[in-house]
Amino acid sequence: GENVEQHPSTLSVQEGDSAVIKCTYSDSASNYFPWYKQELGKGPQLIIDIRSNVGEKKDQRIAVTLNKTAKHFSLHITETQPEDSAVYFCAATLSGNQFYFGTGTSLTVIP
Amino acid sequence: NAGVTQTPKFRVLKTGQSMTLLCAQDMNHEYMYWYRQDPGMGLRLIHYSVGEGTTAKGEVPDGYNVSRLKKQNFLLGLESAAPSQTSVYFCASSPWGQQNTEAFFGQGTRLTVV
């Protein structure tokens, strides 16, 4: 199977600063890398994803980068806002939509 | 559009009791999954299904059984609950496609076994 490691486990930033969360994966066959945001008491929701044939993807204040050679991918949130406070999960996906999740990062944005 | 619906949302069980968690999706997705979420351990796959009538084991299947008799429903059963099964359980579904794609999650079921 796949093994996904995620760092850091907790992250606090001042409002307006940037936040970066990093993940590594073990199986070079993984080809789809989604990022999920989980707010308190809710299920995870997709915020951005990237496929293995793309190196970077951006959606407003959120961007994801992928380095296939090094087997790591990162989530970048710029101009953070209090509503960005949540738990973020990365995942690596093998064929057949098998999702392997990281252990999560609890992000706190301090107003 | 309801998406993925889990019932119940909360449940307290005594050790040894049994129960079934129900997941229903209205998106006509082929794949369905059951995860458990524990502090510091992320989301761990219990069982999954790639289509009606099929099920397979995930990372942590012991103590659980599943059934997918209808495409839109995926049931998770605990035959004899143990305190170690205290967790938040999430159901998810995703469509079949030539490329892997997004999984949609339910709101979760918080289960406490005392």
Side-chain angles (χ1 to χ4, degrees):
Chain A
E2 173 64 278
N3 181 45
V4 178
E5 295 189 356
Q6 182 173 347
H7 300 282
S9 57
T10 60
L11 179 61
S12 292
V13 299
Q14 291 291 135
E15 182 177 357
D17 287 349
S18 295
V20 180
I21 303 170
K22 299 181 179 182
C23 289
T24 61
Y25 61 100
S26 61
D27 195 326
S28 57
S30 290
N31 55 22
Y32 174 65
F33 306 90
W35 285 89
Y36 285 84
K37 176 182 180 182
Q38 185 180 26
E39 297 177 340
L40 196 61
K42 297 185 177 181
Q45 281 197 306
L46 181 78
I47 54 170
I48 195 167
D49 56 13
I50 192 167
R51 300 192 182 277
S52 57
N53 58 348
V54 176
E56 184 174 358
K57 184 176 179 180
K58 189 174 181 180
D59 182 4
Q60 299 183 336
R61 296 185 298 107
I62 295 173
V64 57
T65 58
L66 171 65
N67 183 327
K68 284 179 58 180
T69 303
K71 289 191 234 170
H72 66 71
F73 55 114
S74 300
L75 177 71
H76 305 253
I77 305 174
T78 59
E79 300 172 19
T80 53
Q81 301 168 3
E83 51 265 39
D84 293 329
S85 295
V87 178
Y88 291 81
F89 290 98
C90 63
T93 312
L94 293 167
S95 61
N97 255 28
Q98 296 304 301
F99 294 86
Y100 294 85
F101 287 89
T103 50
T105 296
S106 178
L107 173 65
T108 302
V109 179
I110 304 165
Chain B
N1 195 344
V4 180
T5 303
Q6 293 181 231
T7 52
K9 290 183 170 50
F10 302 94
R11 185 71 186 269
V12 178
L13 282 181
K14 293 183 178 179
T15 298
Q17 285 186 320
S18 63
M19 79 163 293
T20 300
L21 281 67
L22 172 64
C23 177
Q25 54 97 1
D26 61 2
M27 297 173 282
N28 201 36
H29 287 170
E30 283 73 20
Y31 296 112
M32 295 189 75
Y33 317 83
W34 275 108
Y35 290 91
R36 59 178 289 172
Q37 183 176 31
D38 302 292
M41 304 190 77
L43 293 155
R44 292 184 293 168
L45 183 64
I46 304 171
H47 286 279
Y48 64 99
S49 169
V50 301
E52 181 179 322
T54 71
T55 63
K57 294 180 180 180
E59 302 170 74
V60 289
D62 294 343
Y64 306 95
N65 56 76
V66 288
S67 64
R68 184 115 180 255
L69 299 179
K70 294 183 179 180
K71 186 177 183 179
Q72 63 268 33
N73 295 337
F74 195 28
L75 279 63
L76 178 70
L78 286 72
E79 289 187 347
S80 180
S84 61
Q85 294 177 305
T86 294
S87 187
V88 181
Y89 292 85
F90 286 99
C91 176
S93 71
S94 65
W96 179 88
Q98 290 187 338
Q99 291 183 310
N100 293 331
T101 189
E102 175 186 1
F104 295 81
F105 284 82
Q107 295 293 297
T109 296
R110 183 172 294 276
L111 175 65
T112 303
V113 183
V114 297

